[in-house]
Structure formats: structure tokens, C-alpha cells
Amino acid sequence: MTHPIEIFPWNDNFATGIEAIDVQHRKLIDLLNVLVRHLALQSEAPQLDSIIEELKQYAAHHFATEEAIWHKHFQGDPWELWHQRAHTNFVEKVIQMHQEKDGKPYDE
């Protein structure tokens, strides 16, 4: 896909200063932009399902990495717990959207 649609351009607001996390944030943004390109160009469902699955798997990998780092440095801090809840809420929303997708056009 050669169309340069980038709805989520990288910027320093995504940077944490932790190299492993920043690399993963860049990958997540790249995957989101791939998904947006496919949605904008109305790709077929199997392509979209494949991209969504890759994004889900990579997000799970990223969340595990990030939470391990935060736990090491912020163990017991309310910020650590808030961050974990934010990840959990995101995963729950993705699962809900996936369950509700049948019968709906992808643009919804």
C-alpha cells in the first residue's frame, strides 16, 4: 500500500526517554497508520482482520514490557495502578469492538 496516509504522525509527546518503550511506541503508531490506510481505502475484511490481529498482539507485548518497567520503578505508586487500569480498559474496549463487529461495516 503506497498511499501516505498518516493520521497519527510520530511526535515527541509519545517519547518517554526509555529506548525500548519509544521503539515500541513508534511500532504501535506505524501499525495504527497502516490500519487507518486500509480503512480509508476500504480494504477487504481479511486484510483488516490481519492488521487488527497484529495490532492486538503487539499492544499486548508492549503493555507487558511497559508494565514490567513501571513495576520495577514505581511499585505501589498510584500512577502504576492507574497505568495498568488504562491498559486493561484499552484491551477490554478492543475485545468489545471485536465482538460487536459482526454485521457492521468496518467504518463504524
Side-chain angles (χ1 to χ4, degrees), residues 53-66:
E53 185 60 32
E54 183 180 2
L55 181 57
K56 284 179 8 186
Q57 289 180 12
Y58 197 81
H61 165 71
H62 167 67
F63 290 166
T65 301
E66 197 173 72

Side-chain angles (χ1 to χ4, degrees), residues 38-53:
H38 280 274
L39 288 170
L41 298 171
Q42 300 180 348
S43 294
E44 296 296 319
Q47 287 177 297
L48 289 171
D49 286 343
S50 175
I51 294 163
I52 291 168
E53 185 60 32

Side-chain angles (χ1 to χ4, degrees), residues 2-107:
T2 60
H3 304 284
I5 297 170
E6 191 174 70
I7 197 162
F8 299 109
W10 174 263
N11 70 58
D12 287 338
N13 291 327
F14 300 119
T16 65
I18 302 168
E19 184 178 359
I21 299 300
D22 291 346
V23 167
Q24 290 180 5
H25 282 174
R26 284 184 187 270
K27 173 71 173 178
L28 285 167
I29 288 171
D30 288 345
L31 288 170
L32 286 170
N33 284 316
V34 168
L35 178 61
V36 168
R37 281 193 292 275
H38 280 274
L39 288 170
L41 298 171
Q42 300 180 348
S43 294
E44 296 296 319
Q47 287 177 297
L48 289 171
D49 286 343
S50 175
I51 294 163
I52 291 168
E53 185 60 32
E54 183 180 2
L55 181 57
K56 284 179 8 186
Q57 289 180 12
Y58 197 81
H61 165 71
H62 167 67
F63 290 166
T65 301
E66 197 173 72
E67 287 176 13
I69 291 170
W70 290 175
H71 185 71
K72 180 179 177 182
H73 297 286
F74 301 110
Q75 186 173 6
D77 189 285
W79 188 84
E80 177 194 16
L81 299 175
W82 174 87
H83 203 82
Q84 288 173 339
R85 278 194 299 276
H87 287 171
T88 300
N89 291 341
F90 176 84
V91 170
E92 288 172 355
K93 184 65 174 173
V94 169
I95 290 169
Q96 176 188 358
M97 288 170 44
H98 183 72
Q99 290 171 342
E100 294 173 353
K101 78 175 175 64
D102 293 333
K104 288 185 178 181
Y106 270 100
D107 58 352

